[in-house]
Every structure is written in C-alpha cells, then in structure tokens.
Amino acid sequence: MRITCSGCAKVLVIPDERLPKGKAIAFPCPTCSTMIKIDLQSQVSGQKPAPQANGQKTAAQAKTEKVYLTGEALKQKIVKTVDELPPMPQTVIKAREIMDDPKAGFKELATLFESDQAIAAKILKLANSPFYGIVGGVSSIQQASIVLGQKVLRELITLSGVSGLLGNQLAGYGLDVGDLWKHSLAVAFGARHIAVKVDAKLENDAFTTGLLHDSGKLILDTYITERWQQFEEALADGKRTFIEAERKVLALDHPEIAAEVCKAWHIPKEISHGIRYHHHPSQSKGSKLAYIVHVADAIALMSGIGLGVDGTRYQIEEGTMAFLKLNDEDLSEIMGHMLSAAKKITEE
Ligand SMILES: [Fe+2]
Ligand SMILES: [Fe+2]
C-alpha cells in the first residue's frame, strides 16, 4: 500500500502483508513524526476496495491521497525544516568569534584550524584563486592572514563555511549546480563594493549579507518543486512577482525563511535584518545593508548571474538609488567590478 504523509508529503510503501486487515492503525511518519492513520476496515479478507463507477474515489483512495498543508500550518512546518539544513561548521562560527575579539591572537585561530583541516583546505583553495592574485600562492592560514590581511581572511572563512551548501542545485528555482553559489558570490562582492562607496564601516557585514541573502531558497526549493503547478497558476496572469507567488502558495517568502536560517547559523541580527528586507528595503526601517544588497542583487540579475525562474521578475524599489546616493555611472562601475570578482574567485 502507498501512503502519503500529510505532514511532509513523503510517500511510504508498506507491504500489504504487514498491514493488519480489518483494523484502523496509526503510526508516526519516520520523516516528520506526523501521525498517519489508515482505516483498513474496508479491506477485510484481503479484498481490494471495489472500484467506483463514474470515476469517483473510494473511501480508502481518498484517505491515501496527497494532502497539502496550507497557511500557518505549512509555514510552521517549513520553519521546522530549517533544523534539517547542515549547520554552519562550528569552526567557522568559532573563527568569526575569535576574529571579533580584540584580545584574541592569531595563535588561537591557528590552533582552531589545526583541528579542522577540511575547512583550512577550503580557505587556502579560495585564497589561492586568481581573485586574490597572490604570487607563488599561500600554503598556511597564517601566511594567508599575513599576505591578505585579517579582513580578507575573515571573508574567506565565511565563504568556506557556505560554499558547499550554496553550490547545490535548486530545481524549483531553476538553478543548476553552482548557479546560486555564483549569484551569491557576485552579490557579496558587489555589496562590499557598494558599502565602500556608501558607508565603509559596513564593508564586512555587506559581504556576509550579500553572500547569504538568498539562503532561504535552500529551504523553499523542495516546496516549490512539489507545488510547481500552484506556482504556475499563481504566476499565470503575470501580475505577481515570484516573491508574491511564494507568499501566496507557501505562506512565506525566501527572505523571511532566510532570517530563520541566519538564526540557526548564528549570524548577527543586523545581517539577518538586511537579508529579511533585501527585496523591499523601504520596509526595513532604514537598514543600509538591505538597500546595499538590494542593489547588488539587482545588478547581478541584470548581468544574468543566477537568474533562475524568478530572476526576471524582480525590480529595483523606487527611492533606493537616492537613499544610497548612487547614480547610473556607479551602477555600471559596480557591475564591472562584480562580474570580474565573481569570475576570478571561481577560477581554479
Ligand atoms: Fe532574493
Ligand atoms: Fe538574489
């Protein structure tokens, strides 16, 4: 018998011989623990339920049919799935803390990376990419810190923590393997570049906000794939943006769920707030990070980096350029910087 869990939509196949005929049974879904109830009274003596005339469903068929959660119940379920995301590596969280502590020295950082060679190797690989242009390359974290400086090392540590996750394919958003990673990198470098022009002290935070701005897509992708038909219907008349369709079908959007991801990954509140409003910075109560990432995101999409199914449906909010005191010339200069940075850091 095939049963679809109403909680997580997982299809369970249970051999008929294991089902107690003529009884009603209940058991928790092995994936999400939602109680699944099956009434087998109509199947006494192993008889299959008789097919109904005129195509009507039998009672048993109706009970096993996929039921989609909606509204608040769906939202709660999606929020819970954030816990299933691989966590931000502890080494990355600790390294960021050490770098934020003015009393901590490089010795602590070196000891930390000695215990996590996988992260150390990722950092060195990124440090040796053509983007940083180190002649002869670097072979240790300490050398990278001396040659590139603390600020860049911090940037590399953050990148190493999320490169695997953001590199995945997101079928629901139409993003191939590596597409979201390239888009996130472009927005991170673009946001940092804009921050230097607008408010230099936001440089590091703008980078992280840009890097993680679409992390909510990692969670929503499964639900979009599963409910693609509902998305098509929501978008059919061309009046909705993709983010409005996310809200209509899933009861939340990718920036909202990204705020939950940030909580799980111990990302500071200012950054998570900037991410929350990256599509509507005017609602952020003046978060410069939200405005900066909004512009960087728009430029990346205009350049065709990480477009996916939703990329062409976003627009720059009115008042954004004035808020950041940017003009059209700045936009093309930022675009040039972004394209070359994203290309160089992904080169071997
Ligand atoms: Fe987004
Ligand atoms: Fe984006």
Side-chain angles (χ1 to χ4, degrees), residues 33-289:
S33 303
T34 299
M35 284 309 283
I36 297 172
K37 292 178 187 151
I38 318 170
D39 185 355
L40 297 158
Q41 280 162 5
S42 59
Q43 293 178 308
V44 185
S45 322
Q47 282 172 359
K48 285 200 171 137
Q52 300 273 309
N54 63 33
Q56 277 184 347
K57 295 178 183 88
T58 63
Q61 279 170 333
K63 275 183 200 300
T64 57
E65 198 166 77
K66 198 168 190 167
V67 178
Y68 283 130
L69 289 177
T70 54
E72 191 57 27
L74 172 64
K75 185 170 166 174
Q76 290 310 318
K77 179 176 147 35
I78 297 177
V79 168
K80 272 190 207 150
T81 53
V82 171
D83 295 339
E84 287 163 24
L85 258 193
M88 176 75 85
Q90 273 302 314
T91 308
V92 172
I93 296 171
K94 273 194 204 143
R96 288 172 61 108
E97 279 168 12
I98 293 173
M99 294 193 86
D100 284 341
D101 179 359
K103 282 182 259 147
F106 187 80
K107 208 166 158 245
E108 274 134 308
L109 211 54
T111 315
L112 177 69
F113 284 117
E114 266 165 30
S115 64
D116 193 338
Q117 291 297 318
I119 292 279
K122 270 189 191 174
I123 293 173
L124 289 177
K125 191 175 174 214
L126 288 162
N128 287 315
S129 72
F131 178 72
Y132 295 105
I134 307 172
V135 181
V138 285
S139 55
S140 72
I141 301 287
Q142 184 160 25
Q143 205 188 349
S145 155
I146 294 166
V147 180
L148 298 168
Q150 293 272 308
K151 200 174 68 187
V152 175
L153 181 61
R154 198 177 201 287
E155 184 175 294
L156 291 173
I157 290 169
T158 310
L159 285 176
S160 69
V162 292
S163 62
L165 271 173
L166 295 176
N168 291 338
Q169 180 192 38
L170 300 183
Y173 283 99
L175 294 168
D176 236 327
V177 175
D179 282 354
L180 182 63
W181 175 234
K182 276 190 205 136
H183 175 74
S184 307
L185 278 176
V187 176
F189 284 110
R192 191 183 63 179
H193 195 66
I194 298 169
V196 172
K197 286 175 183 289
V198 172
D199 187 348
K201 67 178 181 309
L202 290 178
E203 200 184 341
N204 291 337
D205 284 355
F207 183 85
T208 311
T209 312
L211 189 68
L212 301 178
H213 77 287
D214 275 341
S215 55
K217 289 185 176 181
L218 299 174
I219 300 285
L220 294 194
D221 187 65
T222 315
Y223 297 93
I224 293 177
T225 311
E226 180 187 87
R227 293 159 194 244
W228 185 245
Q229 207 183 333
Q230 292 176 49
F231 268 85
E232 276 188 330
E233 284 162 19
L235 295 165
D237 60 8
K239 287 183 186 153
R240 277 190 189 91
T241 61
F242 199 85
I243 210 162
E244 285 164 349
E246 286 178 357
R247 256 181 260 130
K248 172 152 177 55
V249 179
L250 304 177
L252 45 63
D253 53 37
H254 73 272
E256 194 179 344
I257 194 74
E260 298 292 327
V261 175
C262 286
K263 238 191 261 164
W265 284 353
H266 305 272
I267 302 295
K269 271 200 186 121
E270 313 75 70
I271 293 177
S272 134
H273 184 72
I275 291 175
R276 173 73 187 83
Y277 295 100
H278 78 268
H279 284 283
H280 300 290
S282 65
Q283 295 171 15
S284 70
K285 301 203 173 107
S287 158
K288 273 192 194 160
L289 288 174

